[in-house]
Structures are given as C-alpha cells and as structure tokens.
C-alpha cells in the first residue's frame, strides 16, 4: 500500500511537470489553455501544500519549481482560512534552507522564492510567538546569503512598511553601503560572474532602500520630474557625511559601464532628498559636493555614450533644479564652470538628436526650470543664463531643422509623427525660448526667411525635385510649431511691447506662409505642415484672442502694417477662412479635421469673440450651408468607420453656439438651420419604412445625424432654444431612434451615439428643461427614456456571454450610457414620479427593473474596473437612494446585498468621485434604516411590508453594515482621506445602528496601541462622541463632523509619535 501511494505521488509529479512544460513552452493555444485549467485545479486542491514541497524536492524542471513557489505565495497570502503561524514559520525556514543548499537555481525560481520569503515576512510582521516577533529577524536571516540576490519588495501595507522602515531599513542601507565600500576597496574581478552579480545586487539593494515608499504615498513612476525622496530624519547622519555621496561618485568612475547606470540611479535618489532634512548651511554643503560630482562626470564623459548611463545622468541633471533653487546653485563655488559644462553637454546632446531621444526631456526640463526661475532669483552672484540659454534654444531649433533631411534620406522614424513627444518638448522650449527672447526671435526670423524663400523658389522652379520640396516643408513644419510654442510661452513671463512686436513679426510670417500653402491645396498639401499651422493658431488664440487681451497690443499694429489686419475681427476672419479651407480640402483627413473643429469649438466659447464671429460672412455661410456638398466630412458615402464621425458632434456644438447668439425666439431661423437634418431624418424614416433597404447607408445616415443633434443639444443650454429643438424632435422623430435601438442593439457603433443623444436630451443642463404648467412633456419625455432603456436593456441581455476583451465595447459602454441617462432624468426636477403609480403607468417601474437586471448581469469587479461605468453607476445609485429608497427597500434580498456590496467596495475606490457617491448612498440608506427603526419603537401605524422586509434583511445580515462601519473608520484613521466630510455623514448613522459593535471596535483599536498610548486613544474616542445625541438631525450631524475632524487630527498625531504602527487590517477584522 505504501509503495503504491509513493508510486502515485511520483506519477502525479511527472504529470504536473508535463503540465508545467505545456504551460510555459508550448505554442499551441489549446494545449496551453488545458494545462492552465488543470494547474488552477491543482492550486485549489487540499493537498497542494504537500505537493509543492515534493515538487521543490524532486522536481526535475525549473518550471515545476516556479509553480511550487507561486502556489506557496498564494497559500500564505490567503485571507480566508489562513495558514497557522507554525506552518508559516516552517515554510519560511524551509525556503531559506532551500536557497542556501541550491545555489544554481534558475534566476526566475530564485526570484520567486525570495518573493515568497518577503511575502511571509510582510504579512507576518506583527505576528508574535512567546512575545517574539518571529518574522522580523530579516537581516540576521539573509546575512548568510549576501552573495545572492537580496532585494525584497516590502512596500505595500503602510503600517507594516513604516514599522519595517523604522526598525530595519536604515540598517540595511548602512549594510549595503559598507559592503559597497569594501567592494570598492578590493580589486574585484568583475569578469567573474558571481562577483559581478554580487556588486549588481548590492547596488540594487542600495537603490531599493533609497527608492522606498517612506511615507506611504508612492508616486506614479512615469512622472518623476518633481519626485522628492522623503528620507526619515533618523537617516540624517548618512547624508551629512559627504563620504556616502562620494562613495557613489567614486563607484561610478571605477566600475564597468554595464553597472554604472545603477550607481547613477542611486545618485538621482540621493540628489532628490527632501530639502527639510538639512538646515541652510548643511544643504549648501551637500549641494556643493553634489555639483562637484556632476562636474567630475562632465569632465570625464567616457561612460556617457552608453544609452543607459546617458539617460540616468540626464535625470540626475534635471534633479539639480527640481530640488534646489537657482539662488542656491549660483552660490556653489564652481557654478560658472559647471553651468558651462552642462550647457555644452546639452548642446551636444541636442545636436545628436538621433541618440537617446527619450532622455532629451530631462535636459529640456532642467533648462525650462532654470529659465523660469530667472525673474525670481535674488542672489548677487551671476547666473549666466543669458549667455547659455540662447545657445540651448539655438541648438534645439537648428538640430530639428537639420534632422529633416537625414530622416527623409535614411527613411528613419520622424519625431513629428509622435505628437505627444513634440508637444512636450515644445512646452519646455516655450519657456526656454522666452529667456533672452530678442535672440530667439532674431534666430527664428532668419531661419524662417531662409526656408520660406528656398521653398518659394522650389515651387516656382520647373525642375525642382519632390524630395527637395518635402525637406523644406519639413523644416517649415518645425519652425511653425516652434513659433507657436514661443508665442504661447508669453503666458509665463511679464511681456513688454517690444516682445509683442516681435511676436507680430513671427505671426506675419506664418500667416504669409499659410496664404502660400492654401493657394496650392487644389494641387497638393502637406499634412504635417497643416497640423503645425493648427498648433500655431491654437497658441495664438490663447494669447491674443479673447476677452482678456489688450487690444492696443503692438502685435496688432504689426499685423496691420504688413497684412492689413487692423483688429481682432479681421484676425478672426483669417481663423474662420482657414477653418473653412481645411474642412473643404482636408475633410477626409481625420487628424486635421478634428483639430480644425476643435479650434472652431474653442473660438465659439469666448463671450466677445463669438459675437464678433457671427457678424462674419464666412460664419453666416457655414450656418446656412452645413451640408456634405460644402463640407465633405459630413458625407455618409465615404469609406471611413462609423466611429470616425465623432468630430461631427464638435462641429455642431460650435455651430449651435454661433446660432444661439442671434437666435432668440426666431423659430423660422431655427427651422431654416435644421433643414439638412430634417431631410436626413426623413430619409432614414423612408428607409426604415421599407422591408428592403441598404442597412449600411441607413446606419451611416442615422449615426451622422444623431452625432450632429447631440452637438446642437449640448450647445443649446437656454430654455428658449432647447424647447425649439425638443418640439422639433418630439414626437415626430423619436420613434425612429427607438426603432434603431430595436434593430441594431448588438452594434455599439450605432447604439452608443443614439443612447448618448438621448442622455443629452434628458439632461437638464442650466435648467433648460422647464415645461409649462399645463404641459405633459416632462412625463412624455420620461416615457420615451424608459422605453429606450427597457428596449436596449432587455435586448442587450439576450447576447449572453460576451468575451472579456469585447465586453466593454459590446455591452458595458451602452449600459453605462443608460445608467447616465436614467440618472439625468431622475434628477432633472421636471417630472413628478409619484404620478406614475397613481395612474397605473408602469414607465418608472420598467426603467428601474431594467436597471436592476442590467446591474445583476455585471460582475462586481467590472463595476470598478471601468471608470466611466463606475461613475455612472454610483451617481445613479446616489439619486436612487436619495429619492427612490422605497424601491430599493422593496428589492429581493440578493439584490439588496449586491448593491450594499458594491457600495462597500466603492468606499475604498481610488476615484474620489466614486468614493464620495458611495458615502452619500450609504448615508441615505443608513438614514432610512434609522428612521424605520425609530418608527417601529414608537407606536405608529403599521409600516409597509417593504419597510419590514428591508429591516429584516438588514437584521439577517448585520455583518454588511458592520463591515462598512469598520471600512469607513479604517479610512479615516489610517488612510489619506481626501473626502473626510463625505465620510463623516454616514459614519454617525452607522455608529448609532451598531453601538455594541462600535464599542468592540473602539476597544480593539485602543488595545492594539502601545500601553503608553492607550489612554490617549481612549480619550480621542470619548471626545468623538462628546455632545452627540441619538438622532440624525442636521445639527447633530454637523457637530459629529466637527468632532471627527478633531478626532482624526489627534489620532494621527498620536500614531506619528508611536514607536511602532498598528496593523489596521487585523484591527478591523
């Protein structure tokens, strides 16, 4: 029997190893899927733990060892039915022993086992065995493994992390620095893989210590421009001692280029140490050593050609200004020499534009910050930026121009195609170029005149090559972008009349170029140059068009002299002329069309500019001729996707604003404007009335039409104009929208625009939906809304299971719009919902029941995974709990529990809007419950059956409300609570409904504190409830909110002074 059991084990292991190989090695998707399914079953099996040990002991492949390590990590992380303490200690010791006795494991297996060890340590940080914190002897445990990888990510739960930080992290950092000193003192043979590996792991360890999440607010790594490293005060000695800084600079010069990027990463962190760690004298001394080290690297740049070294060094340079003031930098002894070296390095880097283009951002960021500081620097020492900034500006501009020819010749990737990168660099250049602006302008004028003259000569010549013309167009594209950027930079500096006149010189040249290129559009055009023009117009609009602009600006004087544009109205006519030209010639080019329409939209937003625009004949032409004949992008027969019609909404939003200026109550003018849309609706109605119609054409016509109407509806935010639109669309054309939803519910490209139009029509924006006392239109509009939600909801649920990667586009997006639509109509204040039940109308019930059906078809995880869905759901839930609590109370127990669970999960959401909505919903539910309980204790008439049922559900499941009480209290005490007021509103009701549970919770929190802190914590809780009565009246709530604010401040002060943290999760369980 024993032998048979062993044979089964061996056979089982062999089978597992085969499955692991199939999972990680096979290219057959079906086989991999089967293996994955079998291994998931294995991880959930009762004997998983023993089999994992067997796999580690006897497994012959690295993949089986990886599976064992991964399964063990899941087992020790389990919150339900956790492993006993003794078992976790055994696993920890086994892993350490396993690593010690098997030095030649595959790297990924070693990493997985180290992560398992770190996970056990982290989750057991507060676990005691006979008054001993058994998982805290990290340093002693790993000392014997200093020849192996020792990085462990111990940065998740804040209380554990802060305790680890206070008790162990500095010792680890000191240890790593001491070992690095020893290593740098020895003559290491770095060709030896183990010695090279040891040094690399030591550097990684130092970096991980410096990159630790010291205060529990880890920043987004993608935005490290303004990162400050919050080194604890207890670490001061390491940074006041210049030998720490010197150690890393010495290492950089003594180790191979393959390792030096890690050294520079450590230096980047050290350079970013918070300013308040030092006093002024200490900071000046620290900065002096830092700048000396930078100067030494610049004077000996042998390692910088390595792209990784170069990138990290650029980051180090950027940190010089993000963490220190220009006034401090100029006082450094070698500042003149260092700023010269940095300028030369920057100029050389910019000239070699093809090398490490992603690193240029950091260099430009340094110079942008330096230039922006010039007006504020008070130091008497010269900053010399007036000498070096123009050199940087010139290097950037000339290098971009020179790159055009090389990119075309060698077929390289054009940076102009990366709009995000170009815009980021131009934003930085806009500030740099404004420093010594006269030199920038003189350079741009000279380069522009040369390029424009060459371009004109090439166009006039009969034997010029297309390549030469393309090169000049590329150079002009860069110049137009840069001119737009430096004009936009005016907002950052106090501008003078002379600088406005210089802007005038630049603007004249771009407008003259535009006249030349527009005259050739019938033959040929350049898309990149047109996009640059639009970027220029956008910057010009921000600075020189609008209500805040001085009309006496010297820029207008220069435009008048050169181009005869005497005032803003004439300049606006140039804008509109360009917009119409682009829409005429570039209608099939989506990037140009959308940016052109965005410009038109921005112009239509200005109070004074929109009134000047309406007087222009070109604008009147647009208002009277918005058809595909004049604007090709409005056509329905082109081959673009349905989703490409989005820009039509922007177009009609702008037209709607322009129309509204003089529309007033003129229904004839409105009817005239709507003629093309009326014709389109009639065409769709005609098609749908026949059995055989071209479905694609019908869809295209309808989608274009509803996008147009949504733009108009968005713009019409006054009652008079919106009522004209409402009377036009209802009741004549509403059935067509309903029919479209019935026919094409499965095609989101068609249904989403229709649903969005309906959501816009029912949105009472600026109180525009105000019906007369005798008008039934509010109720009729709700009926149509209910019908559309019910039709779409019932049909979309027939689709069954939708693949995960398509579920948002096919189903959840439409559901999200339905939720938003229902929320808008329920909170619009133009329908009395009581009349529906009174007169036996089921429109309200249908809409609400469809909402419940749709909600139950969505997993909880999806509600929070998709931001638009979660925002529309939680804002709808807020309205329902506020105004329709009787409906919520009448729901089946499983539905009530689903809604309460969604609120519970939403309370901890990262999106503040979602979290605030959950607090509000919870407050309404708790208030309702409290009132019902209060009524049941007083001898009032018998409550409704639904009220009884809801109370019964809550009494059957008290854990749900208790869970939310502990969650809210947990967030207020231990988290960075950004919506404290919102959190305070439901908390009082939760406490009053669960007084015994709250008392237990309070005792648990008090007892978990160090003995010397318990009295203070107890007093905090006493003060929280001081003067609070057992009711939810506004006055009582407000007093509780004030008490809570004081409570949070006092608790935080107490926790900061505590010698060790508290595991909030244990406390709240």
């Amino acid at each position: 029997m024993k032998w048979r059991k062993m044979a089964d084990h061996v056979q089982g292991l062999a089978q597992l190893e085969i499955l692991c190989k199939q999972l990680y090695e096979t290219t057959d998707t079906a086989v991999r899927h089967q293996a994955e399914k079998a291994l998931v079953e294995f991880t959930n099996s009762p004997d998983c733990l023993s089999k994992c040990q067997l796999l580690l002991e006897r497994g012959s492949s690295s993949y089986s060892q990886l599976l064992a390590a991964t399964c063990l990590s899941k087992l020790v992380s389990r919150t339900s039915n956790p492993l006993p303490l003794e078992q976790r200690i055994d696993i920890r010791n086994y892993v350490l022993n396993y690593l010690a006795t098997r030095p030649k494991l595959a790297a990924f297996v070693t990493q997985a086992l180290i992560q398992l060890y770190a996970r056990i340590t982290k989750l057991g940080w507060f676990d005691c065995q006979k008054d001993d914190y058994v998982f805290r002897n990290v340093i002693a445990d790993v000392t014997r493994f200093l020849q192996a990888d020792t990085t462990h990510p111990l940065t998740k739960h804040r209380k554990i992390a802060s305790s680890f930080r206070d008790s162990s992290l500095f010792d680890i950092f000191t240890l790593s620095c001491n070992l690095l000193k020893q290593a740098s003192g020895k003559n290491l043979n770095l060709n030896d893989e183990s010695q090279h590996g040891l040094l690399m792991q030591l550097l990684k360890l130092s970096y991980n210590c410096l990159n630790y999440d010291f205060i529990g607010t880890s920043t987004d790594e993608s935005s490290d421009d303004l990162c400050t490293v919050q080194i604890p005060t207890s670490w001061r000695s390491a940074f006041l001692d210049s030998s720490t800084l010197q150690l890393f600079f010495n290492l950089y010069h003594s180790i191979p280029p393959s390792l030096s990027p890690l050294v520079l990463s450590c230096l980047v962190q050290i350079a970013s140490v918070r300013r308040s760690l030092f006093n002024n004298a200490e900071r000046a001394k620290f900065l002096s050593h830092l700048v000396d080290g930078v100067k030494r690297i610049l004077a000996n740049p042998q390692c910088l050609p390595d792209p990784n070294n170069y990138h990290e060094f650029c980051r180090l340079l950027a940190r010089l200004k993000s963490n220190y003031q220009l006034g401090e930098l100029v006082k450094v002894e070698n500042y003149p020499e260092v700023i010269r070296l940095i300028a030369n390095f920057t100029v050389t880097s910019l000239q070699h534009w093809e090398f490490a283009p992603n690193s240029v951002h950091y260099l430009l960021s340094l110079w942008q910050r330096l230039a922006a500081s010039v007006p504020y620097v008070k130091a008497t020492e010269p900053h010399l930026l007036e000498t070096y900034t123009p050199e940087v500006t010139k290097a950037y501009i000339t290098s971009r121009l020179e790159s055009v020819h090389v990119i075309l010749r060698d077929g390289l990737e054009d940076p102009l195609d990366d709009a995000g990168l170009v815009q980021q660099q131009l934003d930085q250049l806009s500030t740099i170029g404004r420093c010594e602006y006269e030199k920038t302008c003189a350079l741009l004028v000279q380069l522009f005149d040369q390029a424009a003259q060459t371009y004109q000569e090439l166009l006039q010549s009969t034997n010029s090559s297309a390549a030469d013309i393309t090169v000049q167009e590329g150079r002009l594209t860069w110049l137009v972008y840069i001119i737009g950027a430096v004009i936009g930079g005016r907002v950052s500096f106090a501008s003078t009349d002379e600088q406005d006149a210089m802007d005038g010189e630049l603007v004249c040249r771009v407008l003259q170029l535009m006249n030349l290129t527009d005259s050739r559009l019938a033959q040929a055009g350049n898309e990149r140059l047109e996009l640059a023009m639009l970027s220029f117009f956008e910057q010009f609009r921000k600075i020189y068009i609008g209500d805040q602009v001085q009309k006496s600006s010297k820029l207008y004087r220069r435009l008048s002299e050169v181009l005869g544009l005497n005032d803003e109205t004439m300049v606006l006519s140039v804008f509109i002329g360009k917009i119409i030209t682009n829409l005429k010639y570039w209608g099939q080019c989506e990037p140009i069309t959308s940016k052109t329409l965005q410009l038109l939209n921005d112009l239509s937003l200005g109070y004074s500019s929109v009134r000047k625009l309406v007087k222009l004949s070109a604008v009147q032409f647009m208002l009277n001729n918005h058809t595909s004949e004049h604007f090709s992008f409005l056509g329905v027969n082109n081959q673009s996707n349905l989703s490409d019609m989005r820009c039509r909404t922007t177009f009609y939003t702008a037209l709607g604003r322009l129309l509204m200026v003089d529309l007033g109550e003129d229904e004839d003018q409105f009817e005239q404007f709507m003629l093309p849309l009326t014709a389109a609706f009639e065409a769709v109605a005609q098609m749908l009335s026949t059995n055989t119609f071209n479905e694609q054409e019908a869809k295209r016509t309808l989608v274009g039409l509803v996008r147009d109407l949504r733009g108009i509806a968005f713009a019409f935010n006054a009652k008079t104009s919106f009522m004209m639109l409402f009377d036009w669309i209802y009741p004549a054309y509403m059935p067509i929208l309903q029919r479209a939803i019935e026919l094409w519910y499965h095609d989101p490209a068609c249904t989403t625009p229709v649903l969005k139009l309906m959501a816009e029509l029912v949105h009472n924006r600026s109180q525009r939906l105000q019906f007369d006392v005798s008008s039934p239109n509010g109720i009729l509009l709700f009926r149509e809304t209910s019908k559309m939600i019910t039709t779409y909801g019932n049909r979309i649920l027939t689709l069954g299971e939708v693949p995960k990667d398509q579920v948002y586009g096919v189903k959840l997006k439409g559901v999200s719009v339905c939720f938003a639509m229902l929320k808008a109509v329920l909170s619009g204040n133009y329908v009395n919902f009581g009349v529906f039940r009174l007169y036996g109308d089921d429109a309200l019930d249908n809409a609400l029941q469809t909402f419940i059906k749709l909600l139950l078809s969505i997993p909880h995880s999806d509600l929070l995974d998709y931001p638009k869905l979660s925002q529309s759901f939680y804002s709808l839930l807020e309205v329902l709990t506020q105004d329709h609590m009787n409906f919520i109370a009448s729901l089946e127990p499983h539905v009530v529990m689903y809604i309460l669970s969604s609120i519970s999960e939403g309370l901890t959401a990262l999106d503040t809007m979602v979290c605030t909505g959950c607090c509000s919903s919870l407050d309404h539910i708790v208030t309702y419950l409290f009132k019902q309980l209060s009524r049941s204790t007083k001898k009032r008439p018998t409550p409704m059956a639904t009220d009884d049922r809801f109370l019964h559900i809550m009494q059957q499941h008290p854990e749900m409300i208790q869970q939310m009480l502990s969650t809210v209290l947990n967030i207020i005490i231990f988290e960075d609570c950004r919506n404290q007021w919102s959190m305070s509103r439901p908390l009082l009701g939760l406490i009053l409904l669960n007084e015994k549970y709250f008392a237990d919770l309070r005792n648990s929190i008090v007892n978990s504190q160090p003995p010397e802190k318990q009295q203070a914590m107890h007093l905090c809780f006493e003060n929280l409830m001081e003067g609070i009565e057992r009711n939810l009246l506004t006055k009582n709530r407000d007093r509780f909110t004030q008490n809570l604010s004081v409570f949070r401040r006092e608790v935080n002060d107490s926790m900061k002074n505590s010698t060790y943290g508290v595991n909030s999760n244990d406390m709240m369980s």
Side-chain angles (χ1 to χ4, degrees), residues 884-902:
H884 301 270
M885 197 55 219
N886 285 332
F887 167 73
I888 300 286
S890 70
L891 294 169
E892 293 296 318
H894 72 282
V895 183
V896 172
M897 297 310 291
Y898 182 98
I899 289 172
L900 288 174
S901 299
S902 68

Side-chain angles (χ1 to χ4, degrees), residues 122 223 284 583:
K122 178 178 71 176
S223 59
L583 295 178

